[in-house]
Amino acid sequence: MLRTSTAVGIGAGATAAVVVAALVQAAGDDPVIKAGLSLSVPAKYKALVEKAGDTCPEVTPNLLAALLTQESGFNPRARSPVGATGIAQFMPATWASHGIDGNSDGKKNVQDPQDAIPSAGRYLCDIADDVKDVPGDKQKNMLAAYNAGSGAVLKYGGVPPYKETRNYVRSITSMAKKPAGRKSASTDQATTALNAARKMLGKPYSWGGGTAGGPSTGICCSPKGRSGESVLGFDCSGLTLYAYAKAGITLPRTAAQQYAASEPVKPGHMKPGDLVFYGATTSTIHHVGIYVGGGWILNAPRPGAKVRYDPMDVMSDLVAVARPTSHPNKEI
C-alpha cells in the first residue's frame, strides 16, 4: 500500500471550510529562513535538517528538506488518512523498526522532530542501501522506496509505475534542485500577477490553454473528454503561468509543477497573489487558483466555465498554499 503524503501545513482529514478558516485566520509563529538550504526551513529545524541530511552520500540537507516539505510542510502533528504520523510521516510499523531517540531523552517519539528528523535521515540511508543495486538514479530510487516501499522498487527495477510515487519523486527532486538565493514573489509582483489575471475574467476555460503570452487554444482531452482544441482561453495553470509571466516570474506548466516551484505558505501568512492548490495530497495536485483575499480565489475552474472568482472551498480537497519564486535566467 502506498503511504499517502499528508497535506502541507494543514493536516489530513480537515474539511475545506475548516482548512480555509485555518489558513485565513491562524497566526504562525515560526520564522522561515533559507541560509544553507535551497528550500525554506523553519528556523528551529534548520540544524536538525542539516545534520540529518549528512547521514550518507545519497541524502543531502536539501533533499531531506524537500521531503519534509512534501510530507508534512514541517508539521510535527500531521497525520495522513492511512495512519502515517509526524513531520516525516512514518507509518507505525516503520517507526517501530527504524525510529531513533535523536535527542537522547530516553523516548522515541514520532511527533518529536528531534527524533523524527534524524530518523528520517537514517531511514533514507537504510533504504538507499536496500535498493543500491537497482539500476537508475540512486536518489530517485531511494525516494520511491520511502513512498512505496523498497520491495516495489526492487520488483520494478526502479521507480515503480504508480502515479502517486512518480509524482512524489518528481516533486521532491525538483524542490531539492532549486537554486539557492531565489526570491519569493514580492508584493509588487503579486499585485502585477493579480491585475493581469483580473483582466482575463470572463475568458473561457480551455483544457491545456494559456501561455505566457495570453489565451491560447488547448488540447484534447480532459478526463471527461472535453477538448480545448477549438477554445481560446485558459486552464487553471495556464492562467497562473500567464499572470506571473507578466510579473517577471516563469512558472512551469502544470499545477503540480507550479507547487514544486513555489514556497509553501504557513497558515495565517497568506497574501493576495499566493497560489492555492487542490488535491488529495501534494503528490496528486490537480488544480490551482490565485488567492485574492478574504477567502476567495481567482481561477479558471473547469471546461464549460469562464475565468471567475470562487471561494477557496469551491473544491473539497484544498491541500496547500504556496508563493511563486523567481528563477533568474532559468526556465523551470
Side-chain angles (χ1 to χ4, degrees), residues 270-292:
M270 289 170 59
K271 296 179 180 179
D274 287 346
L275 300 183
V276 181
F277 295 92
Y278 300 82
T281 71
T282 54
S283 296
T284 56
I285 286 171
H286 63 84
H287 189 78
V288 60
I290 306 176
Y291 183 61
V292 298

Side-chain angles (χ1 to χ4, degrees), residues 129-196:
D129 187 61
D130 289 343
V131 300
K132 66 179 184 299
D133 294 327
V134 175
D137 186 288
K138 292 185 181 297
Q139 284 188 328
K140 290 181 179 179
N141 289 339
M142 175 185 68
L143 290 170
Y146 196 92
N147 179 258
S150 298
V153 176
L154 292 168
K155 176 182 177 180
Y156 289 101
V159 179
Y162 308 147
K163 183 176 180 180
E164 179 190 322
T165 301
R166 291 190 169 183
N167 286 339
Y168 179 88
V169 172
R170 186 181 302 116
S171 178
I172 291 176
T173 53
S174 175
M175 280 192 281
K177 291 177 181 178
K178 286 181 181 178
R182 73 199 187 288
K183 297 180 179 179
S184 296
S186 67
T187 299
D188 286 345
Q189 287 175 311
T191 299
T192 298
L194 264 178
N195 287 339

Side-chain angles (χ1 to χ4, degrees), residues 44-45 48 74 76 87 109-119:
K44 61 184 177 181
Y45 302 139
L48 287 168
F74 288 95
I87 199 168
N109 183 356
V110 70
Q111 292 188 327
D112 184 347
Q114 294 187 56
D115 293 342
I117 292 176
S119 296

